[in-house]
Amino acid sequence: MDRDAATAFWIATPGRGELRREILPPLPADHVQVTALYSGISRGTESLVFHGHVPPTEYQRMRAPFQAGDFPGPVKYGYASVGRVDCGPADLMGRSVFCLHPHQDHYQVPATAVTPLPEGLPPGRAVLAANMETAINGIWDAGIGPGDRVCVIGAGVVGALVAYLAARIPGTRVTLVDINEGRAALAQALGAGFARPEAAPEDQDHVIHVSGQPDGLDHALTLAGDEGLVLEMSWYGDRPVTLPLGGAFHARRLTLRSSQVGRLPPSRTPRWDYRRRLALALELLKDPVLEPLISGESDFLALPRVMPSLADGAGQVLCHRIRYPAAMSND
């Protein structure tokens, strides 16, 4: 396995993807070679990247750990790969691991860049790890405590995971808000209530916005109680967002705060690092109630054809899983 061919998904130009072949070099010392089993696509950041909506000011901050190329393209982008270590240190050989790597069937990374899956976590569900990390950061940034009233606007993958985590804090009353009534059963399974936007409860202690739509953030401001917190977890790329900050916004002393997974909250940094947070995310994903967040699956070779519809949100997908040929022999 000194040299091997790999196939990777590239965004050739905004809105068009293709598969490209590349040669892997001899494996460097302290590296692993991974054969991908699954990777995950959600409708948020990857959709904006696919359509070329990353603003130039964010080109460097938005780089994925093992990204190749540059925005808007050609670029190899992605951050939710689960695979099997086929070459590397003895303690990792044959292990199923998670890595923040683009969509590619074979790849080499430093051994420190992979995290072994905990026992009891199916590799196919582990593609949610990056989304779970984002949700954990959101819970920390929101500062939710026992008994709080919490509204989560947007029942996509991250919103569903935020509701799932918040509902497990003792005494909380959590409502997942979405225009799609089909998400009511998902909310119930996650331990949360459900409401359409017009029926969402008001006077909330925390309102967490994850819909990706500016109208959702407008609505979030109306649901927060006096001195309440509105946490913005959506990222809009190069789209401008206008907010109604007149009216009662100042009189009610609302707080509008952003949350982004790329940085740990200051209160956590003395004790937490990214590796510890990822390990927690993987442990939490062992709960089988989270399996419905995988809303579809496609073969890797079909990704150039499938990605445009996924990026446009066809079928109201949650997390779409990409299955690689090695997954069949691993099952």
Side-chain angles (χ1 to χ4, degrees):
M1 200 179 293
D2 289 336
R3 295 183 69 83
D4 201 1
T7 303
F9 175 75
W10 283 72
I11 301 168
T13 58
R16 183 176 70 85
E18 64 186 26
L19 297 178
R20 296 185 178 183
R21 297 282 282 175
E22 57 188 74
I23 297 297
L24 299 178
L27 189 67
D30 301 320
H31 280 56
V32 293
Q33 182 152 317
V34 178
T35 295
L37 301 173
Y38 301 96
S39 58
I41 300 172
S42 56
R43 289 179 56 199
T45 302
E46 283 201 71
S47 296
L48 293 171
V49 171
F50 183 73
H51 285 302
H53 291 317
V54 178
T57 58
E58 301 305 302
Y59 280 1
Q60 289 305 311
R61 274 189 287 260
M62 282 298 300
R63 289 192 69 86
F66 297 101
Q67 174 182 323
D70 296 297
F71 303 118
V75 62
K76 180 171 69 174
Y77 191 85
Y79 46 80
S81 179
V82 178
R84 181 187 64 238
V85 174
D86 288 333
C87 191
D91 61 327
L92 290 173
M93 283 291 292
R95 297 285 300 274
S96 293
V97 296
F98 178 84
C99 184
L100 295 166
H101 198 279
H103 308 284
Q104 183 168 323
D105 58 0
H106 303 281
Y107 54 86
Q108 298 174 350
V109 294
T112 54
V114 300
T115 301
L117 304 190
E119 185 176 352
L121 174 59
R125 196 185 306 148
V127 299
L128 295 169
N131 298 126
M132 180 63 90
E133 281 195 278
T134 302
I136 291 169
N137 235 55
I139 293 291
W140 286 342
D141 284 328
I144 301 170
D148 281 344
R149 297 185 294 269
V150 181
C151 244
V152 181
I153 299 178
V157 177
V158 174
L161 288 171
V162 169
Y164 167 81
L165 295 176
R168 276 148 183 79
I169 298 172
T172 54
R173 285 179 282 172
V174 180
T175 305
L176 188 56
V177 179
D178 201 272
I179 60 174
N180 181 359
E181 292 187 6
R183 296 286 161 86
L186 174 64
Q188 182 179 14
L190 299 176
F194 177 84
R196 285 184 53 84
E198 63 272 16
E202 299 179 349
D203 197 27
Q204 300 293 287
D205 300 300
H206 307 271
V207 183
I208 302 175
H209 179 242
V210 208
S211 81
Q213 301 300 319
D215 288 349
L217 182 55
D218 287 359
H219 192 47
L221 294 172
T222 71
L223 300 180
D226 289 355
E227 303 279 352
L229 171 71
V230 176
L231 187 74
E232 176 58 285
M233 296 186 68
S234 297
W235 188 64
Y236 302 94
D238 57 4
R239 286 187 297 165
V241 176
T242 302
L243 291 179
L245 298 184
F249 176 80
H250 289 280
R252 294 170 57 211
R253 294 175 53 85
L254 300 181
T255 297
L256 177 60
R257 180 184 301 161
S258 67
S259 178
Q260 209 279 334
V261 70
R263 184 176 298 179
L264 295 167
S267 63
R268 298 279 166 171
T269 52
R271 300 169 304 282
W272 287 79
D273 56 21
Y274 297 111
R275 178 168 287 274
R276 183 182 175 190
R277 187 184 64 186
L278 177 56
L280 172 62
L282 291 169
E283 280 291 332
L284 292 171
L285 287 173
K286 290 164 65 173
D287 190 345
V289 76
L290 299 175
E291 189 67 28
L293 296 183
I294 309 292
S295 61
E297 184 174 278
S298 299
D299 290 336
F300 173 59
L301 296 180
L303 190 50
R305 174 176 53 81
V306 171
M307 187 63 177
S309 63
L310 295 177
D312 291 336
Q316 295 293 305
V317 294
L318 288 164
C319 178
H320 191 88
R321 186 165 59 201
I322 303 302
R323 183 186 180 100
Y324 294 76
M328 298 185 66
S329 60
N330 194 72
D331 289 344

